[in-house]
Amino acid sequence: MDIARHIALIDELCHRPFPAGHGPSDVGAGTPGQFTAVLETSHGLGGGCPAKRAVTVEQYEKDRDALHERLAARWGEEGDPLNLQTILLRTDREEIPEPWAQLSASARVAYLWEAGGTGRWIALAVADRDETDEVRLLAVVTEKAPP
């Protein structure tokens, strides 16, 4: 993992204009009001060996934690990680805005900051809920505060 490259991308996304429509972007996906950047992705683990998947999830969690350390030094500790399970459970009875609904369907926890002076929120998460999909280390940059 290249921490400096990932932080530079997150910084760029904090200032880049959001796309006008939905679709893929050079970093992953973009929609009005948000970017979802895929920082790292596994290859061949969707529906593959559970043991290899577990090792990859553990490594991506360490990578997420390393990024968290660097970003927390800049933006401060915001407390405990955001428990996305509680947001996922709320989707049954209320409308959760994007990107939070999709992120809660993909990942279990996220580190979260409001990037000072930008009006944007940043979330770091490991998307590993869907065992038929690849494991991904994600950075979400959005103008919508978490629910």
Side-chain angles (χ1 to χ4, degrees), residues 32-47:
Q34 72 184 51
F35 290 107
T36 299
V38 178
L39 303 177
E40 304 284 340
T41 189
S42 65
H43 299 286
L45 292 181

Side-chain angles (χ1 to χ4, degrees), residues 52-127:
K52 288 181 181 178
R53 184 177 181 83
V55 168
T56 301
V57 168
E58 185 177 332
Q59 181 58 53
Y60 284 7
E61 287 172 345
K62 288 178 183 177
D63 294 347
R64 178 203 58 207
D65 293 350
L67 284 165
H68 168 259
E69 240 179 67
R70 295 279 297 274
L71 293 173
R74 178 189 301 174
W75 290 320
E77 288 286 337
E78 294 296 317
D80 293 330
L82 178 63
N83 182 347
L84 296 171
Q85 178 67 28
T86 59
I87 294 173
L88 181 63
L89 292 171
R90 290 170 49 197
T91 61
D92 287 344
R93 60 185 185 281
E94 64 183 281
E95 188 167 331
I96 302 294
E98 292 301 343
W100 306 108
Q102 179 59 44
L103 188 60
S104 70
S106 302
R108 300 170 202 289
V109 297
Y111 287 115
L112 183 68
W113 298 269
E114 185 173 12
T118 68
R120 296 186 182 192
W121 289 86
I122 294 90
L124 292 175
V126 176

Side-chain angles (χ1 to χ4, degrees), residues 1 5 14 47 86 112 128 130 134:
M1 177 183 77
R5 188 182 86 224
C14 284
T86 59
L112 183 68
D128 69 329
D130 183 352
E134 298 297 329

